[in-house]
């Protein structure tokens, strides 16, 4: 009996010391940056949604962008006007996840300005990922804190800690990925990356239905937050625009979603007896989105990783436009779209698309063949 008791005590002490050493090691290295705010390594990849919750809480930013993978790669928030900016972007968020992020940011910080990116705002009916780390009230915060603490005494975290020691910095100090992920899943050369991304676009939903209930609720919360909130559409390459148009005929997804965005924004503002939020449309046909891709020599474009994701060089153009006074903004880069100008704006963009289609018939035929096959 005494031996069993001694054995149990020794076992408990050893287990405690092991957990203590494991937790201390993981805390010091902190591969997912749940406890420290310095730039992170590639071990963060895939964990942006969870780790950035804690980055927002610890950094207490005043200016925030809630975006997707396009912003994660291309939007250098350090150049945005406004105090203490942070890039709260992660790949492929659903509108439900963006709503939860927004609530979390309001709960955790004393924000002044928020840019909400809405490349897609139709409700999916469910979130694609676990939202348990995204808290917006005291009970959720306690649950999230418990999950964060569990991270410290995990063998998987220790493995990630070991890998992180030998990896270069992959995220800057403001939450942006500093380089693209190459490999079998995303492609290595330009031709592979373009075909993979455009293939995913072709597999996208062709449904004409768009449930805006979550988006409407988010807009109401944005108005009531008292923050300076701006809505934003990212640029995509004209090849991608062309696919969206041809793949969604006769409704034309490129046109239809912009109209829904503007009309919903206007309706919510009218209901609340206030001014609509400003919508920055960077999803235009211009000198940057029509940059030619050389899929034979695979020379790297200046502004694009592939048809969907723009580089920092183009992101900097967007930020210069945002920072400029309205009379100094280049209308070929971005346009503030409203109920008053949306029809004319869309007509202009479709004319520019038609001009490109006439000038580059070989690309149009290539994409059309891909769409039909």
């Amino acid at each position: 009996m005494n031996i069993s008791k001694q054995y149990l005590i020794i076992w408990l002490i050893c287990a405690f010391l092991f957990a203590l050493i494991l937790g201390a090691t993981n805390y010091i290295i902190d591969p997912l940056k749940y406890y420290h705010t310095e730039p992170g390594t590639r071990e963060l990849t895939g964990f942006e949604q969870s780790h950035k919750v804690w980055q927002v809480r610890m950094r207490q930013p005043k200016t925030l962008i809630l975006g997707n993978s396009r912003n994660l790669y291309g939007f250098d928030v350090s150049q945005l006007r406004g105090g203490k900016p942070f890039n709260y972007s992660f790949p492929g968020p659903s509108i439900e996840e963006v709503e939860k992020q927004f609530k979390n940011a309001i709960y955790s910080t004393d924000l002044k300005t928020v840019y909400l990116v809405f490349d897609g705002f139709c409700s999916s009916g469910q979130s694609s990922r676990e939202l348990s780390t995204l808290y917006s009230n005291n009970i959720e915060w306690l649950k999230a804190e418990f999950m964060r603490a569990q991270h410290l005494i995990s063998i998987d975290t220790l493995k990630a800690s070991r890998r992180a020691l030998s990896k270069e910095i992959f995220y800057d100090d403001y939450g942006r990925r500093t380089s693209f992920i190459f490999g079998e899943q995303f492609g290595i050369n330009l031709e592979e990356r373009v075909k993979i991304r455009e293939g995913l676009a072709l597999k996208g939903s062709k449904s004409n239905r768009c449930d805006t209930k979550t988006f409407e609720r988010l807009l109401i919360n944005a108005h009531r937050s008292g923050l300076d909130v701006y809505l934003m559409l990212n640029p995509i390459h004209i090849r991608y625009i062309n696919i969206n148009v041809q793949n969604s005929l006769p409704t034309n997804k490129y046109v239809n979603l912009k109209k829904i965005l503007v009309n919903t924004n206007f309706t919510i503002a009218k209901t609340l007896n206030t001014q609509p939020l400003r919508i920055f449309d960077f999803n235009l046909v211009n000198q940057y989105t029509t940059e030619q891709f050389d899929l034979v020599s695979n020379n790297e474009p200046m502004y694009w990783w592939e048809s969907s994701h723009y580089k920092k060089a183009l992101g900097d153009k967007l930020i210069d436009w945002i920072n400029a006074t309205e009379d100094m903004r280049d209308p070929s880069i971005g346009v503030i779209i409203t109920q008053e100008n949306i029809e004319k704006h869309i007509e202009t963009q479709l004319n520019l698309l038609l001009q490109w289609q006439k000038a580059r018939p070989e690309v149009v035929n290539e994409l059309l063949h891909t769409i039909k096959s």
Side-chain angles (χ1 to χ4, degrees):
M1 186 70 178
N2 289 335
I3 295 177
S4 298
K5 185 176 181 181
Q6 280 186 325
Y7 175 80
L8 179 60
I9 292 172
I10 293 172
W11 186 89
L12 289 173
I13 292 173
C14 289
F16 174 77
L17 291 175
F18 175 77
L20 187 64
I21 294 171
L22 179 63
T25 301
N26 288 332
Y27 177 83
I28 292 169
I29 300 174
D30 195 12
L32 301 187
K33 293 296 171 285
Y34 286 163
Y35 293 89
H36 302 87
T37 58
E38 64 268 17
T41 68
R42 190 162 175 167
E43 302 313 306
L44 286 178
T45 306
F47 294 94
E48 290 96 347
Q49 186 186 30
S50 58
H51 102 268
K52 283 190 173 182
V53 176
W54 306 105
Q55 294 288 300
V56 165
R57 181 189 173 200
M58 291 185 290
R59 291 170 181 268
Q60 290 295 302
K62 298 297 182 183
T63 305
L64 205 66
I65 182 168
L66 274 71
N68 51 39
S69 58
R70 292 167 184 154
N71 309 100
L72 184 61
Y73 284 114
F75 210 79
D76 182 4
V77 298
S78 68
Q79 300 183 49
L80 272 176
R81 288 181 179 171
K84 300 177 66 177
F86 187 69
N87 191 331
Y88 198 8
S89 303
F90 64 95
S94 66
I95 187 63
E96 290 85 2
E97 291 169 331
V98 175
E99 179 188 34
K100 189 70 175 177
Q101 275 184 291
F102 185 66
K103 289 181 178 179
N104 164 250
I106 293 174
Y107 174 84
S108 302
T109 67
D110 184 24
L111 283 169
K112 301 298 182 185
T113 305
V114 178
Y115 297 89
L116 294 173
V117 177
F118 289 111
D119 296 345
F121 52 86
C122 302
S123 179
S124 63
Q126 60 182 1
S127 173
S128 59
R129 280 164 288 215
E130 177 61 56
L131 293 178
S132 57
T133 57
L134 282 166
Y135 56 87
S136 55
N137 59 56
N138 291 342
I139 299 299
E140 290 178 333
W141 172 73
L142 287 172
K143 291 180 179 178
E145 281 283 13
F146 177 74
M147 293 187 67
R148 183 169 72 141
Q150 281 184 310
H151 160 79
L152 291 179
I153 53 174
S154 166
I155 297 296
D156 288 336
T157 304
L158 184 63
K159 294 176 181 177
S161 296
R162 180 180 59 81
R163 291 193 300 266
L165 288 174
S166 60
K167 296 289 179 66
E168 295 181 0
I169 295 301
F170 193 63
Y171 294 79
D172 69 16
D173 197 40
Y174 300 90
R176 183 181 67 88
R177 282 189 192 173
T178 54
S179 61
F180 194 77
I181 296 178
F182 298 95
E184 183 177 345
Q185 182 181 358
F186 301 100
I188 297 176
N189 61 41
L190 179 63
E191 181 186 19
E192 291 175 351
R193 300 198 304 267
V194 167
K195 286 184 177 179
I196 289 172
R197 182 53 56 179
E198 291 178 358
L200 292 174
L202 289 168
K203 293 177 183 178
S205 173
K206 298 182 182 180
S207 172
N208 298 327
R209 300 176 61 186
C210 182
D211 182 352
T212 61
K213 288 188 178 66
T214 304
F215 178 53
E216 292 170 19
R217 189 168 61 237
L218 177 54
L219 289 180
I220 292 172
N221 289 335
H223 280 290
R224 291 175 175 170
S225 69
L227 305 176
D228 292 326
V229 179
Y230 302 94
L231 311 185
M232 179 176 142
L233 293 170
N234 272 314
I236 54 177
H237 194 269
I238 196 164
R239 292 174 60 102
Y240 212 84
I241 293 174
N242 192 76
I243 288 175
N244 280 344
V245 171
Q246 296 295 330
N247 199 34
S248 59
L249 291 175
T251 57
N252 194 330
K253 180 179 178 181
Y254 179 68
V255 168
N256 194 42
L257 289 183
K258 288 189 181 185
K259 287 184 177 180
I260 294 174
L261 176 63
V262 168
N263 291 336
T264 305
N265 184 42
F266 175 82
T267 301
I268 293 300
K270 185 177 180 180
T271 302
L272 298 176
N273 194 28
T274 187
Q275 292 297 311
L277 300 176
R278 289 196 162 191
I279 306 173
F280 298 158
D281 184 8
F282 296 115
N283 187 9
L284 309 180
V285 179
N286 57 34
Q287 65 269 41
Y288 304 109
T289 58
T290 56
E291 181 181 11
Q292 293 189 31
F293 288 175
D294 185 347
L295 302 183
V296 177
S297 66
N298 283 311
N299 291 327
E300 278 294 319
M302 179 177 294
Y303 297 109
W304 299 92
W305 291 110
E306 22 79 342
S307 309
S308 178
H309 292 88
Y310 58 90
K311 294 181 178 179
K312 180 180 178 296
L314 180 52
D316 289 347
K317 302 288 183 183
L318 310 187
I319 293 173
D320 288 343
W321 186 95
I322 292 172
N323 287 339
T325 57
E326 286 198 30
D327 60 320
M328 295 298 292
R329 287 171 172 167
D330 184 349
S332 72
I333 295 177
V335 174
I336 298 175
I337 52 176
T338 65
Q339 266 219 326
E340 290 73 31
N341 71 2
I342 185 62
E343 295 294 340
K344 180 65 176 175
H345 174 63
I346 286 174
E347 179 185 350
T348 299
Q349 290 304 306
L350 291 179
N351 285 335
L352 290 172
L353 176 61
L354 182 60
Q355 292 175 25
W356 175 82
Q357 290 172 332
K358 290 179 178 179
R360 299 302 305 276
E362 73 284 1
V363 179
V364 174
N365 290 333
E366 171 208 335
L367 294 173
L368 192 60
H369 175 74
T370 304
I371 291 169
K372 290 181 177 180
S373 61

